[in-house]
Amino acid sequence: MKLPLIKVENVKKVFSGNSVLDNISFEIVSGEIFGLIGASGSGKTTLLNTLVGVLQPDSGDVFFRDDNIVEANDNSRFRSVFENLNDVKKKFGFAAQVPSFYSKLTVFENLDYFGSLYNLSKEARLTNINTLLDLVELDNARNILAGNLSGGMQRRLDIACALIHDPMILILDEPTSDLDPVLAKHIWLLLQKINKRGTTIIVASHHFADIEEICSRIGIISNGKMVHVGTLHELTGILSKGQEIHIETYPGNYEKIMKCLEDPLILAKENRGNEFVIHTSKPDKVLEKVLKVLSQMDENLMDVNITKLSLSDVFSKVSKKK
Amino acid sequence: MKIGKVIKKNIKLLLRSRVSTLVLIFGPLLVILLVGFSFSTSTFNLNMGVFSGSYSELSNSLMEKLKSDNYGVTKYDTENMCIESVKEGQTHACVIFPPDLKIENQRTNTIKFFVDQSKINLVYLVMSSLEGSVGEKSTEISKDLTGKLVASLLNTKTKIDSSLPLISDIKTEDGLIVTAADNSINSLDSLDLGTGSKVAPDTRVGKVKNELDKLLSDSSKLVDDGLDIIPELEDWVESNGTAYLNDLEDKLNEINSTLKTKHNTTAKELTLLSQEINESFNNIYKKLDNAKNVNAAVLSKLNTIKDTAETLKQKSETVEKNLQDISADVSTVKVTDIENIVSPITTEINPIVKEQTNLGFLFPSLIVMLIMFIGLLLPSTLIIMEKNSKAYFRVFTTPTKNRLFVTATYLTCMILIFFQVMIILLVSQFFFKINFMNSFFMLFVALIIIMSFFILLGMLIGYIINTEEMAMLASVSVGTLFLLTSGIIFPLESMPLSIVEKARFNPVVLGSEVFKKSLLFGADFNSIKTSFGYLLLFSLVLIILILSVRKADKFQFLLKKPTRMKIKKDFLISQFDFGERKAKSLAEFIVSIQNLNEDKFQALLKQSCYSDWLLLAYNNRYLAKKTEAVKSKQEIVKILVEELKKISVKK
């Protein structure tokens, strides 16, 4: 099994008597994009801050793998984030929910400044800046004041700032929270590009569709608890009753149609007024049967749609379960 | 070098922020320029309103004096108009000259000044300037009058001195008069004007007449005898001739006749003579009587003259003595120089260093004051800018030590303030002739220490306070406190002793002292080491406080509620749509809630999003509290609609 890059073990954090992180444990594997979803106030940001050592947990610990340590025992290669903050800061890049840079400095100056705070040499800074500007497509904006950049550009600059020291892990908190879908798409594509360069990414977001698209694994956090961690497939498998077939007919006598549809492959049926939905793990076979029934009942098929259970659905289900 | 990058970044941020550049960089330069011109020896442009019921030569000359002192002078038709002009700010002061102002006995010349006391600084300036101008004229008049008095006095003395011999002469001559009077009295006394036993001239004339009668009778008898002899002689003559006898007889008869005629005539004339003599005697008696009377009167007068002369002599002696005393007194007046009489004591404030302009003496306090305000404002603003900057969080994620940022902030401010102060010093050197090159090293050390203290204090304020407004307010308040207890605005001596004692340790006082001694007196280190010591001690305390606060601040930032709140607020706002945009008002919030599907409503309810929105986005703690316990959409909508109605009714 691949050795994890980060191990979060039983992390607890309480603010003013409220448990913000409640015994959270999970692992991050090198090279993956790990998505963290949860409702607002569920503890995502607190968890991310804890990962980078900005927040010290009340109990539990966060470990990172130090590849410079060569030990027979794998566990010995992990070091506590909170005991090695300086090393952690060099290995982690963090892009907070609000872009964090100086709006009165140019793109280049911001990157150069933060690069210098990481003790990078001038040459290293220049190399990294050029690479990053190219990566985040801000090369043409290098001499523009950061405050004058568009929302998407600012977000890209923020990510570039987080990457200036070429960290092993990039942590992003709601990277597309205030962006329109087009710009958000750019950011997600950028993250994929960054990931392809070998950077492990941990991203918290409300944009479930994007998370489900780019993340290899997803953690669902709810009320400070990590309720599920796994791939999308694993999550949908655990939480859903298969796929959904959405059917719209005319004249639309859905109650009658649903009565006629009795099959062990059909897990559930729903009359939603303007359509009816069938839950099944074998949509092809069920759809054949549905079409037969419709033809017998003189119902004209207006629209049919087979959908997988989305991350949003999964999240809703998790919320409802609670 | 990392610190260099931080300093460079700080300077860039400050310079690129127009407001801070204007306020912190150019503001002080502008202030010093204005203050420099204000306190330089150049004249003020003050406008004077003047009024007089009747302008005299003197009032006109006073007005001319004001004009020559570069005052604008405007004549007004009435006193009220003149006073109103001050109220309306058209003039800085109103001068009311008494009608027909002139220097006369029994006349008080009061020139009234009306000034706007609300402009206290201007008032003192105007009063001082006016006192100067009018006082100068007044002194001029006083000198003139005194000159005349002194000249008269000296002239009098000269005349007295020249009169004293005359008085001596008068005394001598008076003595002579007395003697002469005595002699005259004696002479007059001895003068006999008595008529004695007076023999009537008739008697003497009668006697003469009797004698004449006797002479006549004797002559007649003699004639008769002759006649008698004649017969005998006839006989003889008959013998000798008668003709001769006849002739003799005729001659005797003729003699007799002549005698008789002569006798008659003489008797007559004697009678007349007697009468004339009598008359003459009578006249003489009368005159003698008169002369007696006159003599008596003259004697009396001579006695009076004598007495008067003696009195005069005594008085002359008194006058002589008095005049001698006056002369002696006048001689004792050693000061006869008019200048000295008018201003017996002249005050002269001599600078202990060569004077260039008024600014020169205020300059140290001014510079320290400026350093204080920039020193307090610049770092606090810089720190608040950093704290409120979006990049603040990122800085925490970098492997950079706390001390580095503190040091970088300190050095940034030090560089900027030093740069400003150097510009001010250079400007002062060239424009206001304040020489600082003579004691540059001490001045440099003094500047570093003074600036360090205020920068560190400003940094402490910046680290303690979280908003720019509050930091600015705190900086200005602290600065004002220092300023008020520094003696620059109010004299320290007028304050309670307890404050005066503490004010000695006021950094502005210490800084001004250090700066003054370095700049003006070229003092060595020994003379300012105590003030240096205090400032260094205070700075050290501030460094410890800053590091402690910074550490606590960093910890606070990590738990920082405002950021978390802001994130939460942003999230809350994003949850409630109103058409194309987010709900802002209560009505929009209600519509937004109504449009939520039940699932989302419940999901948001679980997270207390409704009460949180009302608290954080709508800023209504009361409604937030009221909606904390709601369970359904209907319930919350009802509460909010009721509130909305109340608001509508109020409006």
Side-chain angles (χ1 to χ4, degrees), chain A residues 39-40 54 89 94 97 99-100 102 104 109 112 117 119 158, chain B residues 2 5 9 12 16 386 390 394 396 399 558 567 571 607:
Chain A
S40 286
V54 171
K89 284 175 178 176
F94 193 99
Q97 194 167 359
S100 189
Y102 294 100
K104 293 283 177 191
E109 285 167 346
D112 188 44
L117 291 188
N119 295 320
D158 190 45
Chain B
K2 204 189 254 191
K5 278 277 173 192
K9 179 266 303 176
K12 275 182 184 171
R16 284 177 189 174
E386 181 71 30
K390 291 194 279 184
R394 181 161 305 291
F396 275 113
L558 302 178
I567 293 166
F571 166 73
Q607 295 168 50

PDB file of all heavy atoms in Angstrom, chain A residues 39-40 54 89 94 97 99-100 102 104 109 112 117 119 158, chain B residues 2 5 9 12 16 386 390 394 396 399 558 567 571 607:
ATOM      1  N   ALA A  39     -20.874  21.365   5.008  1.00  0.00           N
ATOM      2  CA  ALA A  39     -21.640  22.617   5.087  1.00  0.00           C
ATOM      3  C   ALA A  39     -20.783  23.698   5.739  1.00  0.00           C
ATOM      4  O   ALA A  39     -19.777  23.397   6.369  1.00  0.00           O
ATOM      5  CB  ALA A  39     -22.891  22.382   5.918  1.00  0.00           C
ATOM      6  N   SER A  40     -21.222  24.920   5.566  1.00  0.00           N
ATOM      7  CA  SER A  40     -20.494  26.002   6.214  1.00  0.00           C
ATOM      8  C   SER A  40     -20.542  25.811   7.719  1.00  0.00           C
ATOM      9  O   SER A  40     -21.587  25.472   8.265  1.00  0.00           O
ATOM     10  CB  SER A  40     -21.115  27.337   5.854  1.00  0.00           C
ATOM     11  OG  SER A  40     -20.767  27.635   4.545  1.00  0.00           O
ATOM     12  N   VAL A  54      -1.304  26.004  11.450  1.00  0.00           N
ATOM     13  CA  VAL A  54      -1.687  27.346  11.904  1.00  0.00           C
ATOM     14  C   VAL A  54      -2.504  27.241  13.184  1.00  0.00           C
ATOM     15  O   VAL A  54      -2.390  28.064  14.081  1.00  0.00           O
ATOM     16  CB  VAL A  54      -2.463  28.087  10.784  1.00  0.00           C
ATOM     17  CG1 VAL A  54      -3.055  29.381  11.296  1.00  0.00           C
ATOM     18  CG2 VAL A  54      -1.556  28.361   9.609  1.00  0.00           C
ATOM     19  N   LYS A  89       5.904  24.515   6.980  1.00  0.00           N
ATOM     20  CA  LYS A  89       5.615  25.708   6.184  1.00  0.00           C
ATOM     21  C   LYS A  89       6.318  25.653   4.835  1.00  0.00           C
ATOM     22  O   LYS A  89       5.835  26.218   3.853  1.00  0.00           O
ATOM     23  CB  LYS A  89       6.024  26.960   6.957  1.00  0.00           C
ATOM     24  CG  LYS A  89       5.036  27.305   8.060  1.00  0.00           C
ATOM     25  CD  LYS A  89       5.493  28.468   8.903  1.00  0.00           C
ATOM     26  CE  LYS A  89       4.456  28.803   9.961  1.00  0.00           C
ATOM     27  NZ  LYS A  89       4.907  29.866  10.854  1.00  0.00           N
ATOM     28  N   PHE A  94      -0.532  27.201   1.059  1.00  0.00           N
ATOM     29  CA  PHE A  94      -1.915  27.364   1.509  1.00  0.00           C
ATOM     30  C   PHE A  94      -2.577  28.517   0.775  1.00  0.00           C
ATOM     31  O   PHE A  94      -2.035  29.624   0.720  1.00  0.00           O
ATOM     32  CB  PHE A  94      -1.932  27.625   3.017  1.00  0.00           C
ATOM     33  CG  PHE A  94      -3.292  27.494   3.643  1.00  0.00           C
ATOM     34  CD1 PHE A  94      -3.658  26.329   4.300  1.00  0.00           C
ATOM     35  CD2 PHE A  94      -4.227  28.520   3.579  1.00  0.00           C
ATOM     36  CE1 PHE A  94      -4.911  26.197   4.886  1.00  0.00           C
ATOM     37  CE2 PHE A  94      -5.478  28.405   4.158  1.00  0.00           C
ATOM     38  CZ  PHE A  94      -5.825  27.235   4.812  1.00  0.00           C
ATOM     39  N   GLN A  97      -9.511  30.984   1.855  1.00  0.00           N
ATOM     40  CA  GLN A  97     -10.776  31.291   1.180  1.00  0.00           C
ATOM     41  C   GLN A  97     -10.732  32.679   0.526  1.00  0.00           C
ATOM     42  O   GLN A  97     -11.221  32.876  -0.567  1.00  0.00           O
ATOM     43  CB  GLN A  97     -11.897  31.243   2.206  1.00  0.00           C
ATOM     44  CG  GLN A  97     -13.266  31.215   1.581  1.00  0.00           C
ATOM     45  CD  GLN A  97     -14.344  30.853   2.593  1.00  0.00           C
ATOM     46  OE1 GLN A  97     -14.064  30.612   3.757  1.00  0.00           O
ATOM     47  NE2 GLN A  97     -15.560  30.799   2.144  1.00  0.00           N
ATOM     48  N   PRO A  99      -8.382  35.454  -1.117  1.00  0.00           N
ATOM     49  CA  PRO A  99      -7.032  35.540  -1.686  1.00  0.00           C
ATOM     50  C   PRO A  99      -6.109  36.345  -0.773  1.00  0.00           C
ATOM     51  O   PRO A  99      -6.493  37.399  -0.281  1.00  0.00           O
ATOM     52  CB  PRO A  99      -7.242  36.243  -3.026  1.00  0.00           C
ATOM     53  CG  PRO A  99      -8.640  35.939  -3.394  1.00  0.00           C
ATOM     54  CD  PRO A  99      -9.392  35.865  -2.098  1.00  0.00           C
ATOM     55  N   SER A 100      -4.937  35.830  -0.559  1.00  0.00           N
ATOM     56  CA  SER A 100      -4.039  36.432   0.415  1.00  0.00           C
ATOM     57  C   SER A 100      -2.773  36.936  -0.260  1.00  0.00           C
ATOM     58  O   SER A 100      -1.842  36.161  -0.489  1.00  0.00           O
ATOM     59  CB  SER A 100      -3.726  35.384   1.487  1.00  0.00           C
ATOM     60  OG  SER A 100      -3.036  35.950   2.534  1.00  0.00           O
ATOM     61  N   TYR A 102      -0.750  41.087  -1.383  1.00  0.00           N
ATOM     62  CA  TYR A 102      -0.814  42.536  -1.239  1.00  0.00           C
ATOM     63  C   TYR A 102      -1.385  43.148  -2.520  1.00  0.00           C
ATOM     64  O   TYR A 102      -0.791  43.029  -3.584  1.00  0.00           O
ATOM     65  CB  TYR A 102       0.566  43.119  -0.964  1.00  0.00           C
ATOM     66  CG  TYR A 102       1.103  42.686   0.369  1.00  0.00           C
ATOM     67  CD1 TYR A 102       2.034  41.648   0.468  1.00  0.00           C
ATOM     68  CD2 TYR A 102       0.683  43.291   1.541  1.00  0.00           C
ATOM     69  CE1 TYR A 102       2.523  41.242   1.689  1.00  0.00           C
ATOM     70  CE2 TYR A 102       1.163  42.880   2.772  1.00  0.00           C
ATOM     71  CZ  TYR A 102       2.079  41.863   2.844  1.00  0.00           C
ATOM     72  OH  TYR A 102       2.549  41.459   4.058  1.00  0.00           O
ATOM     73  N   LYS A 104      -1.546  46.142  -3.336  1.00  0.00           N
ATOM     74  CA  LYS A 104      -0.787  47.300  -3.820  1.00  0.00           C
ATOM     75  C   LYS A 104       0.569  46.898  -4.399  1.00  0.00           C
ATOM     76  O   LYS A 104       1.364  47.772  -4.761  1.00  0.00           O
ATOM     77  CB  LYS A 104      -0.584  48.312  -2.696  1.00  0.00           C
ATOM     78  CG  LYS A 104      -1.856  48.976  -2.228  1.00  0.00           C
ATOM     79  CD  LYS A 104      -2.303  50.047  -3.202  1.00  0.00           C
ATOM     80  CE  LYS A 104      -3.626  50.656  -2.764  1.00  0.00           C
ATOM     81  NZ  LYS A 104      -4.197  51.495  -3.815  1.00  0.00           N
ATOM     82  N   GLU A 109       5.846  41.361  -7.869  1.00  0.00           N
ATOM     83  CA  GLU A 109       6.340  41.759  -6.548  1.00  0.00           C
ATOM     84  C   GLU A 109       5.785  40.866  -5.448  1.00  0.00           C
ATOM     85  O   GLU A 109       6.492  40.515  -4.503  1.00  0.00           O
ATOM     86  CB  GLU A 109       5.957  43.221  -6.276  1.00  0.00           C
ATOM     87  CG  GLU A 109       6.807  44.203  -7.053  1.00  0.00           C
ATOM     88  CD  GLU A 109       6.244  45.622  -7.054  1.00  0.00           C
ATOM     89  OE1 GLU A 109       5.058  45.813  -6.685  1.00  0.00           O
ATOM     90  OE2 GLU A 109       6.982  46.521  -7.463  1.00  0.00           O
ATOM     91  N   ASP A 112       7.569  37.570  -5.668  1.00  0.00           N
ATOM     92  CA  ASP A 112       8.957  37.763  -5.254  1.00  0.00           C
ATOM     93  C   ASP A 112       9.037  37.932  -3.737  1.00  0.00           C
ATOM     94  O   ASP A 112       9.902  37.352  -3.077  1.00  0.00           O
ATOM     95  CB  ASP A 112       9.505  39.016  -5.962  1.00  0.00           C
ATOM     96  CG  ASP A 112      10.994  39.170  -5.737  1.00  0.00           C
ATOM     97  OD1 ASP A 112      11.704  38.157  -5.833  1.00  0.00           O
ATOM     98  OD2 ASP A 112      11.434  40.302  -5.458  1.00  0.00           O
ATOM     99  N   LEU A 117      10.235  35.393   1.593  1.00  0.00           N
ATOM    100  CA  LEU A 117       9.874  34.975   2.955  1.00  0.00           C
ATOM    101  C   LEU A 117      10.139  33.477   3.158  1.00  0.00           C
ATOM    102  O   LEU A 117      10.265  33.011   4.288  1.00  0.00           O
ATOM    103  CB  LEU A 117       8.396  35.282   3.244  1.00  0.00           C
ATOM    104  CG  LEU A 117       8.003  36.756   3.375  1.00  0.00           C
ATOM    105  CD1 LEU A 117       6.559  36.881   3.855  1.00  0.00           C
ATOM    106  CD2 LEU A 117       8.914  37.508   4.323  1.00  0.00           C
ATOM    107  N   ASN A 119      12.764  32.180   2.071  1.00  0.00           N
ATOM    108  CA  ASN A 119      14.228  32.137   1.980  1.00  0.00           C
ATOM    109  C   ASN A 119      14.732  31.596   0.654  1.00  0.00           C
ATOM    110  O   ASN A 119      15.795  30.963   0.597  1.00  0.00           O
ATOM    111  CB  ASN A 119      14.823  31.305   3.120  1.00  0.00           C
ATOM    112  CG  ASN A 119      14.579  31.946   4.468  1.00  0.00           C
ATOM    113  OD1 ASN A 119      14.679  33.155   4.606  1.00  0.00           O
ATOM    114  ND2 ASN A 119      14.213  31.133   5.441  1.00  0.00           N
ATOM    115  N   ASP A 158      -3.219  34.030  -6.103  1.00  0.00           N
ATOM    116  CA  ASP A 158      -3.185  33.483  -4.749  1.00  0.00           C
ATOM    117  C   ASP A 158      -2.609  32.067  -4.752  1.00  0.00           C
ATOM    118  O   ASP A 158      -1.777  31.710  -3.911  1.00  0.00           O
ATOM    119  CB  ASP A 158      -4.602  33.495  -4.173  1.00  0.00           C
ATOM    120  CG  ASP A 158      -4.612  33.178  -2.698  1.00  0.00           C
ATOM    121  OD1 ASP A 158      -3.777  33.743  -1.976  1.00  0.00           O
ATOM    122  OD2 ASP A 158      -5.450  32.358  -2.268  1.00  0.00           O
TER     123      ASP A 158
ATOM    124  N   LYS B   2      16.070  38.859   3.580  1.00  0.00           N
ATOM    125  CA  LYS B   2      14.633  38.819   3.837  1.00  0.00           C
ATOM    126  C   LYS B   2      14.112  40.138   4.426  1.00  0.00           C
ATOM    127  O   LYS B   2      13.101  40.677   3.975  1.00  0.00           O
ATOM    128  CB  LYS B   2      14.369  37.682   4.828  1.00  0.00           C
ATOM    129  CG  LYS B   2      12.962  37.136   4.763  1.00  0.00           C
ATOM    130  CD  LYS B   2      12.721  36.192   5.908  1.00  0.00           C
ATOM    131  CE  LYS B   2      12.709  34.761   5.497  1.00  0.00           C
ATOM    132  NZ  LYS B   2      12.226  33.848   6.533  1.00  0.00           N
ATOM    133  N   LYS B   5      13.684  42.829   1.956  1.00  0.00           N
ATOM    134  CA  LYS B   5      12.484  42.630   1.128  1.00  0.00           C
ATOM    135  C   LYS B   5      11.242  43.134   1.857  1.00  0.00           C
ATOM    136  O   LYS B   5      10.361  43.755   1.265  1.00  0.00           O
ATOM    137  CB  LYS B   5      12.318  41.128   0.812  1.00  0.00           C
ATOM    138  CG  LYS B   5      13.176  40.677  -0.335  1.00  0.00           C
ATOM    139  CD  LYS B   5      12.494  40.999  -1.645  1.00  0.00           C
ATOM    140  CE  LYS B   5      13.421  40.704  -2.807  1.00  0.00           C
ATOM    141  NZ  LYS B   5      12.929  41.261  -4.056  1.00  0.00           N
ATOM    142  N   LYS B   9       8.966  46.136   0.695  1.00  0.00           N
ATOM    143  CA  LYS B   9       7.522  45.929   0.523  1.00  0.00           C
ATOM    144  C   LYS B   9       6.731  46.958   1.317  1.00  0.00           C
ATOM    145  O   LYS B   9       5.783  47.563   0.808  1.00  0.00           O
ATOM    146  CB  LYS B   9       7.168  44.502   0.981  1.00  0.00           C
ATOM    147  CG  LYS B   9       5.732  44.117   0.899  1.00  0.00           C
ATOM    148  CD  LYS B   9       4.916  44.300   2.159  1.00  0.00           C
ATOM    149  CE  LYS B   9       5.422  43.581   3.364  1.00  0.00           C
ATOM    150  NZ  LYS B   9       4.664  43.843   4.583  1.00  0.00           N
ATOM    151  N   LYS B  12       6.911  50.297  -0.369  1.00  0.00           N
ATOM    152  CA  LYS B  12       6.086  50.283  -1.587  1.00  0.00           C
ATOM    153  C   LYS B  12       4.611  50.419  -1.227  1.00  0.00           C
ATOM    154  O   LYS B  12       3.873  51.198  -1.839  1.00  0.00           O
ATOM    155  CB  LYS B  12       6.300  48.972  -2.346  1.00  0.00           C
ATOM    156  CG  LYS B  12       7.498  49.002  -3.268  1.00  0.00           C
ATOM    157  CD  LYS B  12       7.595  47.694  -4.015  1.00  0.00           C
ATOM    158  CE  LYS B  12       8.853  47.667  -4.868  1.00  0.00           C
ATOM    159  NZ  LYS B  12       9.088  46.354  -5.448  1.00  0.00           N
ATOM    160  N   ARG B  16       2.410  53.512  -2.302  1.00  0.00           N
ATOM    161  CA  ARG B  16       1.349  53.274  -3.288  1.00  0.00           C
ATOM    162  C   ARG B  16      -0.039  53.567  -2.730  1.00  0.00           C
ATOM    163  O   ARG B  16      -1.008  53.580  -3.475  1.00  0.00           O
ATOM    164  CB  ARG B  16       1.433  51.833  -3.785  1.00  0.00           C
ATOM    165  CG  ARG B  16       2.579  51.672  -4.762  1.00  0.00           C
ATOM    166  CD  ARG B  16       2.753  50.268  -5.233  1.00  0.00           C
ATOM    167  NE  ARG B  16       3.995  50.151  -5.986  1.00  0.00           N
ATOM    168  CZ  ARG B  16       4.490  49.016  -6.433  1.00  0.00           C
ATOM    169  NH1 ARG B  16       3.846  47.890  -6.202  1.00  0.00           N
ATOM    170  NH2 ARG B  16       5.617  49.002  -7.102  1.00  0.00           N
ATOM    171  N   GLU B 386      -1.058  46.212   7.390  1.00  0.00           N
ATOM    172  CA  GLU B 386      -0.578  44.832   7.259  1.00  0.00           C
ATOM    173  C   GLU B 386      -1.597  43.873   7.872  1.00  0.00           C
ATOM    174  O   GLU B 386      -1.944  42.858   7.276  1.00  0.00           O
ATOM    175  CB  GLU B 386       0.781  44.712   7.957  1.00  0.00           C
ATOM    176  CG  GLU B 386       1.418  43.353   7.889  1.00  0.00           C
ATOM    177  CD  GLU B 386       1.937  42.987   6.509  1.00  0.00           C
ATOM    178  OE1 GLU B 386       2.331  43.902   5.769  1.00  0.00           O
ATOM    179  OE2 GLU B 386       1.919  41.789   6.165  1.00  0.00           O
ATOM    180  N   LYS B 390      -5.001  41.514   2.990  1.00  0.00           N
ATOM    181  CA  LYS B 390      -5.394  40.136   2.671  1.00  0.00           C
ATOM    182  C   LYS B 390      -4.204  39.196   2.835  1.00  0.00           C
ATOM    183  O   LYS B 390      -4.360  38.005   3.036  1.00  0.00           O
ATOM    184  CB  LYS B 390      -5.906  40.092   1.231  1.00  0.00           C
ATOM    185  CG  LYS B 390      -7.232  40.803   1.059  1.00  0.00           C
ATOM    186  CD  LYS B 390      -7.892  40.475  -0.249  1.00  0.00           C
ATOM    187  CE  LYS B 390      -7.333  41.266  -1.397  1.00  0.00           C
ATOM    188  NZ  LYS B 390      -8.025  41.041  -2.656  1.00  0.00           N
ATOM    189  N   ARG B 394      -1.217  34.891   4.779  1.00  0.00           N
ATOM    190  CA  ARG B 394      -0.143  34.189   4.061  1.00  0.00           C
ATOM    191  C   ARG B 394       1.183  34.327   4.791  1.00  0.00           C
ATOM    192  O   ARG B 394       1.997  33.398   4.806  1.00  0.00           O
ATOM    193  CB  ARG B 394      -0.028  34.723   2.627  1.00  0.00           C
ATOM    194  CG  ARG B 394       1.030  34.026   1.826  1.00  0.00           C
ATOM    195  CD  ARG B 394       0.886  34.187   0.340  1.00  0.00           C
ATOM    196  NE  ARG B 394      -0.394  33.787  -0.184  1.00  0.00           N
ATOM    197  CZ  ARG B 394      -0.859  32.536  -0.242  1.00  0.00           C
ATOM    198  NH1 ARG B 394      -0.109  31.540   0.203  1.00  0.00           N
ATOM    199  NH2 ARG B 394      -2.047  32.266  -0.720  1.00  0.00           N
ATOM    200  N   PHE B 396       1.681  34.362   7.834  1.00  0.00           N
ATOM    201  CA  PHE B 396       1.749  33.367   8.903  1.00  0.00           C
ATOM    202  C   PHE B 396       2.158  31.990   8.388  1.00  0.00           C
ATOM    203  O   PHE B 396       2.682  31.179   9.141  1.00  0.00           O
ATOM    204  CB  PHE B 396       0.395  33.243   9.604  1.00  0.00           C
ATOM    205  CG  PHE B 396       0.216  34.257  10.665  1.00  0.00           C
ATOM    206  CD1 PHE B 396      -0.725  35.240  10.540  1.00  0.00           C
ATOM    207  CD2 PHE B 396       1.012  34.241  11.802  1.00  0.00           C
ATOM    208  CE1 PHE B 396      -0.893  36.191  11.515  1.00  0.00           C
ATOM    209  CE2 PHE B 396       0.860  35.193  12.779  1.00  0.00           C
ATOM    210  CZ  PHE B 396      -0.094  36.179  12.648  1.00  0.00           C
ATOM    211  N   PRO B 399       7.784  30.555   6.660  1.00  0.00           N
ATOM    212  CA  PRO B 399       8.713  30.297   7.776  1.00  0.00           C
ATOM    213  C   PRO B 399       9.515  31.555   8.131  1.00  0.00           C
ATOM    214  O   PRO B 399      10.714  31.630   7.879  1.00  0.00           O
ATOM    215  CB  PRO B 399       9.607  29.185   7.228  1.00  0.00           C
ATOM    216  CG  PRO B 399       9.584  29.374   5.755  1.00  0.00           C
ATOM    217  CD  PRO B 399       8.288  29.993   5.394  1.00  0.00           C
ATOM    218  N   LEU B 558      -4.908  33.702  15.078  1.00  0.00           N
ATOM    219  CA  LEU B 558      -5.248  32.323  14.732  1.00  0.00           C
ATOM    220  C   LEU B 558      -6.651  31.976  15.211  1.00  0.00           C
ATOM    221  O   LEU B 558      -7.339  31.173  14.622  1.00  0.00           O
ATOM    222  CB  LEU B 558      -4.221  31.372  15.341  1.00  0.00           C
ATOM    223  CG  LEU B 558      -2.790  31.662  14.880  1.00  0.00           C
ATOM    224  CD1 LEU B 558      -1.827  30.716  15.546  1.00  0.00           C
ATOM    225  CD2 LEU B 558      -2.679  31.561  13.375  1.00  0.00           C
ATOM    226  N   ILE B 567     -15.787  35.293   7.155  1.00  0.00           N
ATOM    227  CA  ILE B 567     -16.006  34.134   6.292  1.00  0.00           C
ATOM    228  C   ILE B 567     -17.449  33.649   6.438  1.00  0.00           C
ATOM    229  O   ILE B 567     -18.148  33.391   5.471  1.00  0.00           O
ATOM    230  CB  ILE B 567     -15.002  33.006   6.649  1.00  0.00           C
ATOM    231  CG1 ILE B 567     -13.589  33.476   6.293  1.00  0.00           C
ATOM    232  CG2 ILE B 567     -15.354  31.710   5.945  1.00  0.00           C
ATOM    233  CD1 ILE B 567     -12.495  32.633   6.886  1.00  0.00           C
ATOM    234  N   PHE B 571     -20.439  33.684   3.724  1.00  0.00           N
ATOM    235  CA  PHE B 571     -21.185  32.466   3.416  1.00  0.00           C
ATOM    236  C   PHE B 571     -22.689  32.706   3.566  1.00  0.00           C
ATOM    237  O   PHE B 571     -23.488  32.336   2.703  1.00  0.00           O
ATOM    238  CB  PHE B 571     -20.725  31.320   4.328  1.00  0.00           C
ATOM    239  CG  PHE B 571     -21.648  30.145   4.305  1.00  0.00           C
ATOM    240  CD1 PHE B 571     -21.688  29.300   3.194  1.00  0.00           C
ATOM    241  CD2 PHE B 571     -22.508  29.878   5.355  1.00  0.00           C
ATOM    242  CE1 PHE B 571     -22.560  28.222   3.140  1.00  0.00           C
ATOM    243  CE2 PHE B 571     -23.383  28.812   5.316  1.00  0.00           C
ATOM    244  CZ  PHE B 571     -23.413  27.987   4.205  1.00  0.00           C
ATOM    245  N   GLN B 607     -27.805  24.943  10.842  1.00  0.00           N
ATOM    246  CA  GLN B 607     -26.567  25.705  11.051  1.00  0.00           C
ATOM    247  C   GLN B 607     -26.834  27.112  11.602  1.00  0.00           C
ATOM    248  O   GLN B 607     -25.940  27.957  11.621  1.00  0.00           O
ATOM    249  CB  GLN B 607     -25.832  25.840   9.718  1.00  0.00           C
ATOM    250  CG  GLN B 607     -25.354  24.515   9.180  1.00  0.00           C
ATOM    251  CD  GLN B 607     -24.899  24.650   7.750  1.00  0.00           C
ATOM    252  OE1 GLN B 607     -24.123  25.529   7.424  1.00  0.00           O
ATOM    253  NE2 GLN B 607     -25.394  23.779   6.897  1.00  0.00           N
TER     254      GLN B 607
END
